[in-house]
Amino acid sequence: MHTVKEAALITGLTEHAVRFYTDKGLVPSVQRNQNNIRMFDEESINWLHGVKCLKQSGMPIEVIKMYVDLCLEGDSTIPQRCALMMEHKEAALVKLEEAKRHVAHLEQKIALYQAILEHRTPDTTNPGNWDKIQHMHCDVFYSPSVSPGSLNP
């Protein structure tokens, strides 16, 4: 049997994470001794490794809990667990596309800053100065359906 500290060392998790995961019901085989201290056997360590793996995939705690509950029901839930993984993959792909858009936007911003640093364009990056430069880059600052003059404070 292992203490929280030992379980953390074995799994590479923090002690806080080990406690958090057990409190969320993600380690169903965790036991408590006569002093109500968490004790981890090999099965509990395996659950912690599994939770760590799912968490590293970006899976939210609520979904990991669903996965754990399905595992506890047995092999009959393999199709549901597979579907859960496919849904998580789709959500990750959506986030990946969003991250790609963020990177593209940041690349544009960096190019703008480089042009400013090289004195090829005035500084349009400071919102405190936008009232003086609304005519510049208004397509970036305002959506096409809203003109700068129609914004209500």
Side-chain angles (χ1 to χ4, degrees):
M1 298 296 279
H2 304 282
T3 63
V4 167
K5 184 174 188 170
E6 293 166 340
L9 288 170
I10 292 167
T11 60
L13 294 166
T14 65
E15 292 177 40
H16 174 78
V18 170
R19 287 186 191 94
F20 179 77
Y21 294 157
T22 57
D23 290 348
K24 290 294 184 179
L26 306 181
V27 186
S29 60
V30 70
Q31 300 170 32
R32 294 199 179 247
N33 69 13
Q34 65 276 12
N35 297 320
N36 204 29
I37 294 172
R38 295 173 188 88
M39 299 302 294
F40 299 84
D41 59 10
E42 292 310 308
E43 182 180 338
S44 299
I45 297 296
N46 289 341
W47 280 107
L48 286 170
H49 280 299
V51 170
K52 180 181 176 182
C53 177
L54 294 173
K55 193 67 184 139
Q56 287 175 334
S57 78
M59 186 176 283
I61 294 296
E62 301 77 30
V63 180
I64 295 173
K65 176 64 172 135
M66 291 170 50
Y67 181 84
V68 167
D69 291 345
L70 288 169
C71 286
L72 291 172
E73 290 182 36
D75 290 348
S76 65
T77 65
I78 290 173
Q80 292 97 320
R81 286 184 268 155
C82 182
L84 194 137
M85 291 297 163
M86 289 189 299
E87 289 170 16
H88 180 57
K89 176 187 168 192
E90 290 304 314
L93 288 170
V94 167
K95 287 180 183 178
L96 177 61
E97 290 304 313
E98 182 180 12
K100 287 178 182 179
R101 287 190 303 276
H102 291 171
V103 168
H105 182 76
L106 289 168
E107 286 171 347
Q108 291 174 344
K109 290 294 184 189
I110 291 166
L112 174 60
Y113 272 102
Q114 288 171 337
I116 294 166
L117 288 169
E118 295 168 4
H119 304 289
R120 292 184 283 121
T121 189
D123 180 6
T124 59
T125 64
N126 184 341
N129 297 331
W130 286 354
D131 60 333
K132 300 172 192 138
I133 56 167
Q134 283 183 357
H135 66 282
M136 299 180 69
H137 307 292
C138 65
D139 59 321
V140 175
F141 299 138
Y142 307 102
S143 67
S145 62
V146 179
S147 66
S150 70
L151 293 176
N152 294 324

